[in-house]
Amino acid sequence: AELLETDSVWLALYLLHKRHLGEKADEHCNFQLSLLPTSSEPLVLWNEQDLAALEGSRWLAVTKQFQEEVEDEYRLLAECLGDAALMQLSANSKSYAWAQAVLQQCCLRFLSKDGEPIDVLLPGLQLLESGLTNDSSSMPQLLDGT
């Protein structure tokens, strides 16, 4: 299926796999995961009650459309891979939405020479965008303790 040819789907599955491994993942991977957003801050993760605060805003329609697209993508993914494969990742529509929200915040898209998009996951990218880099106390420590 065409869906399985996109970087964003594979990156989302990779995130779900590594998150599922938890402490079994290597130290470097756990550090990278610690840089990713874990809360429900991204609008795509908001429930109907939270979204009510956006009533009258264009962001309500944008968010609902993105939520529907992620739900549809997850359904297609379940059809392509099967429920058993997704269960091995502890994946469900909510965790897949989390992974897609992470990609929205922490991914850069480049174009290859032939015009094909290449998505690159950069854990910690959201820290640069949110200005947290000015407050070193809120930054996770690097592996070497700096």
Side-chain angles (χ1 to χ4, degrees), residues 22-86:
E23 293 299 317
K24 294 179 187 174
D26 64 72
E27 186 178 339
H28 177 71
C29 182
N30 282 329
F31 172 71
Q32 297 296 323
L33 285 173
S34 76
L35 295 174
L36 299 175
T38 57
S39 68
S40 59
E41 282 183 32
L43 295 178
V44 69
L45 300 177
W46 285 18
N47 61 33
E48 288 296 323
Q49 184 179 357
D50 294 333
L51 287 173
L54 297 176
E55 194 65 45
S57 162
R58 76 177 186 96
W59 293 111
L60 180 61
V62 169
T63 300
K64 284 189 173 192
Q65 179 182 352
F66 187 69
Q67 286 176 333
E68 289 173 15
E69 289 172 4
V70 169
E71 280 286 328
D72 291 344
E73 192 171 280
Y74 179 78
R75 276 192 283 281
L76 282 171
L77 195 57
E79 288 175 19
C80 291
L81 297 178
D83 290 333
L86 293 174

